[in-house]
């Protein structure tokens, strides 16, 4: 993201295609950067690895095809988190499978409906925003619940466990970590004693609430 706008790297050599793709993308108020081939795309990414939010890559490029560029991006440790969407002519069926096998986030078959393509790009970016940060307390609460679930007398079904975790998190201050630059690695014993005590109290209270108001059916 740059200046509050998500950055799309559009890798395309065909002028008409660039015009068409920019037309439907600009409605989303993105910053669009273009590269005419795979080499220039990689040069740009090396200088801007963390500013690039998504890549839209044509299959047919003058120096390499889009699948080869996809492979290079996904095999580069500091770039592999960038979502890559490949635009593939509908007749290239074998390339569609190759794109997904090499971890493309999506493919857009050409010719395409502009509104549909724009929605798919928007959905990928929304999912990426959601995954950039996580509340690491979810993991801590889940682990502590597993340790004491027997003593709590709580049903072990998936629904009851989910409900206890959700209720507990609502009573705790979240602790966020960035998954894009590396997940925060820590264990529950690294939390303060007071915080662990508060978490255990919240688990106990939430378990009691769920036991008295179970949402599972027939004990399942």
């Amino acid at each position: 993201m740059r200046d509050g706008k998500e950055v799309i790297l559009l890798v395309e050599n065909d002028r008409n295609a660039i015009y068409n793709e920019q037309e439907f993308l600009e409605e989303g108020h993105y910053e669009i950067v273009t590269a005419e081939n795979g080499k220039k795309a990689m040069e740009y990414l090396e200088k801007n690895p963390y500013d690039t939010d998504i890549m839209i890559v044509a299959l047919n490029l003058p120096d390499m095809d889009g699948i080869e560029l996809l492979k290079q991006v996904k095999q580069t440790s500091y770039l592999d988190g960038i979502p890559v969407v490949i635009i593939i002519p509908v007749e290239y069926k074998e390339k569609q499978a190759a794109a997904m096998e090499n971890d493309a986030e999506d493919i857009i078959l050409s010719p395409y409906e502009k509104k549909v393509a724009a929605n798919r790009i928007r959905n990928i970016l929304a999912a990426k925003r959601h995954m950039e940060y996580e509340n690491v307390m979810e993991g801590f609460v889940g682990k502590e619940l597993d340790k004491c679930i027997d003593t709590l007398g709580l049903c072990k079904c998936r629904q009851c466990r989910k409900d206890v975790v959700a209720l507990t998190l609502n009573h705790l201050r979240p602790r966020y970590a960035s998954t894009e630059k590396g997940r925060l690695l820590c264990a529950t014993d690294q939390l303060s004693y007071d915080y662990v005590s508060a978490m255990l109290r919240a688990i106990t209270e939430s378990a009691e609430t769920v036991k008295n108001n179970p949402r599972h059916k027939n004990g399942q």
Side-chain angles (χ1 to χ4, degrees), residues 1 4-8 28-30 53-54 81 83 118-135 176-180:
M1 185 171 287
K5 289 186 176 182
E6 288 163 312
V7 178
I8 296 176
H29 304 291
Y30 308 116
D53 293 290
I54 192 170
N119 283 336
R120 291 168 75 170
I121 298 301
R122 185 163 52 249
N123 289 341
I124 292 172
L125 287 170
K128 182 176 183 290
R129 286 194 300 271
H130 178 72
M131 292 300 293
E132 281 184 341
Y133 300 95
E134 67 172 303
N135 181 7
Y176 289 104
S178 168
T179 58
E180 185 170 304

Side-chain angles (χ1 to χ4, degrees), residues 193-213:
Y193 175 81
D194 289 341
Y195 203 96
V196 172
S197 298
M199 178 171 60
L200 292 174
R201 285 196 301 272
I203 289 174
T204 301
E205 292 171 4
S206 299
E208 194 64 28
T209 298
V210 171
K211 281 195 298 182
N212 293 332
N213 302 277

Side-chain angles (χ1 to χ4, degrees), residues 48-177:
N48 303 274
Y50 302 117
D51 289 343
T52 306
D53 293 290
I54 192 170
M55 295 176 63
I56 301 177
V57 179
L59 177 65
N60 297 315
L61 298 172
D63 57 343
M64 65 178 77
D65 73 10
I67 306 299
E68 183 57 38
L69 177 56
L70 167 67
K71 291 178 182 178
Q72 288 192 29
V73 171
K74 293 302 183 180
Q75 290 171 5
T76 303
S77 60
Y78 60 91
L79 300 177
D80 63 357
I82 299 174
V84 181
V85 176
I86 309 290
I87 297 179
I88 301 178
V90 68
E91 63 268 21
Y92 287 82
K93 292 184 178 180
E94 74 284 358
K95 295 294 186 178
Q96 298 173 32
M100 301 312 292
E101 288 169 2
N102 285 283
D103 298 325
E105 269 63 32
D106 203 352
I107 60 175
I108 295 176
L109 298 180
S110 179
Y112 52 81
E113 170 59 44
K114 292 181 181 179
K115 287 186 178 180
V116 173
N119 283 336
R120 291 168 75 170
I121 298 301
R122 185 163 52 249
N123 289 341
I124 292 172
L125 287 170
K128 182 176 183 290
R129 286 194 300 271
H130 178 72
M131 292 300 293
E132 281 184 341
Y133 300 95
E134 67 172 303
N135 181 7
V136 295
M137 290 307 302
E138 292 184 27
F140 293 152
V141 170
K143 288 179 181 178
E144 287 303 311
L145 176 58
D146 289 341
K147 290 178 184 178
C148 62
I149 195 167
D150 289 329
T151 60
L152 291 171
L154 182 71
C155 169
K156 296 181 181 180
C157 78
R158 180 178 297 180
Q159 186 64 58
C160 285
R161 187 181 182 281
K162 285 172 59 179
D163 287 346
V164 171
V165 171
L167 284 173
T168 301
L169 290 171
N170 286 334
H171 289 86
L172 298 174
R173 177 172 58 83
R175 294 168 66 97
Y176 289 104

